Amino acid sequence: MNRLPDPLAIGADAARPTLLEIQEALGGEYDIKGELGKGSVSRVFLARNRDLGRLVAIKVLLPEHAKDETSRRRFEREAKASASLSHPNVVDVYRFGRLPDETPYLVMRFVKGRTIEERLAAEGPLGEVETRRILRDVALGLAAAHSRGIVHRDVRPGNILWDEERGEALLSDFGIAAILATSGEDVTRLTMAGQIMGDPRYQSPEQLLDEDVTELADVFAFGVSGYELLSGKGPWEAKGNAQLIAARLQKEPRRLDALRPGIDPTLADLLFRCLAREPRHRPRAADLAKALAPLEAAGGTSSREHPTAEAGSGDIREVMKRRVPQIVLITLGVAWGLMTLMDQLVDRDVLPDVFYRLTLPFALAGVAASTVIAWFHGEKGKQKAPAIEYVILGVIGLIWLVLSAWTVLSMR
């Protein structure tokens, strides 16, 4: 995160509103620490509540949008929609107001972590077990919103936060959320005719056609997001938004197990059904949450109460999916063949005995390295190498060099 100057030292040439103005508007209740980021319509600042010592995020509409009445109303709708929800998988909104110049702001829970979009950019596709956990959290958050007549309208990895401290996903940014007519609240349309709100990559056919939108549009975006989490790709192959929209309206989505072979067919089918062209053929968010938590759906104990049970079976599936046993067995076979060859060459005096002894640490290091490489790259498709992989391989290489040196010195 880029560090900002002291809020009180911001000059008049800084982008309005200044941090000083924000802090004064909040009545001295918060200390502004710095800027967390800037989006297309707002800036987000990190602050600490002076009384509670709690870190919060303060979201302020950008000046160019604060002048527009429609943008202000969208922003206020986000605050009202989020504040009306109290759920572990929805980012809490603590306060809403306007600065002296009528720029709206909201104070919300600070989540220590990254968006899922940022994680995908850094790590590539996620593991199946972790993806199921993330999708389940999002489905629970959506089910809570839908039960109150709120449609998010912009479900995507960029609007899903991963809380590193709690190990759970939270749904954020209800900036273009709409209140369903069935909720009994006055519905004011905040979009112009023919205007597509949100990212077209996640828009449902009814959104693209500017038809009536229900909570099942969020389920469609949920399915697209699930594809990206597991494969790094969307359900439709297209170049540019125009081709993507045409494909979405005319073609069936690709099967997820074709993009990521070995995926649980039940999960692949669930996400495929989320992408049905007809909204009534899609599952509801509450049904998704149940399907992604089979123990609870069957009346069993929550996996969060007994994480070791889920982790145990999940880890075994991960090991098999990454083809670790196959790769390690192949490496053991190669190591055994190399040891046998060196033994024969030493017996025939073709090579000195030291070569045979050096083969053993080399073979052990090779098996260890192949296990690490299989874990990080054993799945089909291209996977990015994380920093921890280089560290582990470096340690293995160092141990091999030490053992080799000790072997040579011990024979003198």
Side-chain angles (χ1 to χ4, degrees):
M1 180 194 310
N2 294 329
R3 292 188 176 273
L4 289 181
D6 187 285
L8 302 179
I10 300 292
D13 58 339
R16 295 185 63 86
T18 67
L19 299 186
L20 178 59
E21 290 172 327
I22 297 172
Q23 189 158 295
E24 289 179 346
L26 293 171
E29 185 179 349
Y30 298 92
D31 285 323
I32 309 294
K33 299 297 182 181
E35 185 170 356
L36 288 172
K38 180 180 178 180
S40 58
V41 297
S42 61
R43 298 168 72 191
V44 182
F45 302 94
L46 177 66
R48 184 182 296 276
N49 183 291
R50 291 178 175 175
D51 294 331
L52 302 177
R54 177 175 61 188
L55 288 175
V56 298
I58 300 177
K59 189 173 184 178
V60 182
L61 198 63
L62 291 174
E64 57 267 32
H65 294 286
K67 298 175 183 178
D68 179 65
E69 179 63 21
T70 300
S71 295
R72 288 200 302 269
R73 292 172 68 186
R74 285 191 191 125
F75 193 88
E76 291 175 1
R77 175 155 288 178
E78 172 181 1
K80 293 177 181 178
S82 300
S84 69
L85 295 172
S86 178
H87 192 274
N89 300 115
V90 176
V91 177
D92 294 317
V93 170
Y94 302 131
R95 176 173 171 177
F96 168 74
R98 292 197 179 196
L99 302 178
D101 64 355
E102 293 300 307
T103 299
Y105 70 87
L106 58 88
V107 181
M108 55 190 180
R109 171 185 164 189
F110 168 68
V111 179
K112 184 179 180 181
R114 298 177 290 176
T115 67
I116 297 300
E117 182 178 56
E118 290 169 337
R119 286 194 58 186
L120 289 173
E123 305 172 24
L126 305 180
E128 184 178 325
V129 173
E130 185 171 16
T131 296
R132 290 182 73 99
R133 185 180 301 117
I134 292 170
L135 291 178
R136 182 197 174 215
D137 288 347
V138 173
L140 288 170
L142 284 175
H146 296 168
S147 69
R148 298 187 63 86
I150 300 172
V151 183
H152 190 283
R153 287 192 176 216
D154 198 20
V155 177
R156 54 188 173 88
N159 285 336
I160 302 171
L161 301 178
W162 178 252
D163 189 331
E164 295 177 351
E165 295 180 336
R166 299 187 183 184
E168 59 186 12
L170 294 91
L171 194 58
S172 68
D173 278 2
F174 282 78
I176 56 175
I179 307 298
L180 292 177
T182 54
S183 69
E185 298 189 34
D186 179 41
V187 180
T188 303
R189 192 170 179 83
L190 297 180
T191 57
M192 298 168 56
Q195 181 182 11
I196 297 176
M197 296 302 301
D199 192 325
R201 290 177 297 173
Y202 308 93
Q203 300 294 287
S204 64
E206 60 268 27
Q207 286 174 288
L208 297 175
L209 294 173
D210 198 27
E211 298 175 347
D212 290 338
V213 173
T214 69
E215 70 274 11
L216 293 171
D218 287 344
V219 172
F220 186 94
F222 176 93
V224 177
S225 300
Y227 267 67
E228 292 190 352
L229 265 65
L230 288 164
S231 70
K233 301 177 182 178
W236 287 271
E237 186 175 9
K239 295 181 179 179
N241 288 337
Q243 287 188 17
L244 178 62
I245 293 172
R248 185 160 300 167
L249 297 176
Q250 300 171 10
K251 298 181 180 179
E252 287 293 306
R254 296 180 286 185
R255 294 289 306 187
L256 181 58
D257 45 15
L259 298 174
R260 181 166 176 172
I263 198 74
D264 179 5
T266 304
L267 178 59
D269 180 67
L270 183 68
L271 294 175
F272 187 82
R273 289 192 292 118
C274 291
L275 303 174
R277 195 170 294 128
E278 288 291 333
R280 58 190 175 89
H281 293 154
R282 301 170 200 156
R284 296 190 177 274
D287 298 325
L288 291 171
K290 291 179 181 177
L292 292 166
L295 289 178
E296 291 186 0
T301 306
S302 169
S303 60
R304 289 189 178 180
E305 294 177 9
H306 290 289
T308 54
E310 179 187 1
S313 59
D315 289 343
I316 292 174
R317 287 196 297 268
E318 281 292 303
V319 167
M320 297 304 296
K321 183 178 62 178
R322 296 169 190 258
R323 299 179 291 180
V324 174
Q326 301 94 310
I327 294 174
V328 172
L329 284 174
I330 291 172
T331 308
L332 284 171
V334 173
W336 178 261
L338 182 60
M339 293 284 294
T340 302
L341 175 63
M342 296 304 296
D343 183 49
Q344 293 177 356
L345 292 176
V346 169
D347 282 346
R348 296 176 184 179
D349 293 329
V350 176
L351 293 175
D353 184 58
V354 67
F355 279 87
Y356 176 77
R357 298 196 179 189
L358 287 173
T359 303
L360 181 58
F362 178 79
L364 292 175
V367 172
S370 70
T371 304
V372 173
I373 294 172
W375 177 256
F376 288 104
H377 303 281
E379 296 183 57
K380 293 183 179 179
K382 185 178 180 181
Q383 290 100 39
K384 295 182 179 180
I388 186 63
E389 180 183 2
Y390 293 111
V391 172
I392 296 173
L393 291 176
V395 171
I396 293 173
L398 181 61
I399 294 174
W400 167 62
L401 289 174
V402 171
L403 289 176
S404 299
W406 179 82
T407 300
V408 173
L409 294 175
S410 66
M411 294 185 66
R412 291 184 178 180

